[in-house]
Amino acid sequence: MDTMQEKVLPAVTKFSNYKFIKAMTTGITAPVCATIIGSVIAVLMTPPFPPTATG
């Protein structure tokens, strides 16, 4: 665990602080959130069972 904190963590932190990496992260996260919300709404509007089904 110490080796990871001493050698890997600084490199990953430096990489994640690049401006274009932050832009890519933001650019990917927003559409994914919108897709998940849209999928939930689509499932709620058209449930995956017939309307005549009873409990």
Side-chain angles (χ1 to χ4, degrees):
M1 188 70 164
D2 291 332
T3 304
M4 182 179 244
Q5 289 179 348
E6 292 173 4
K7 299 192 188 245
V8 176
L9 193 59
V12 171
T13 304
K14 184 178 178 182
F15 179 74
S16 66
N17 285 333
Y18 286 133
K19 187 183 259 185
F20 67 91
I21 296 296
K22 288 183 179 182
M24 285 175 41
T25 304
T26 304
I28 291 172
T29 327
V32 168
C33 293
T35 302
I36 292 172
I37 291 170
S39 299
V40 169
I41 291 172
V43 168
L44 291 175
M45 290 184 68
T46 56
F49 50 83
T52 58
T54 57

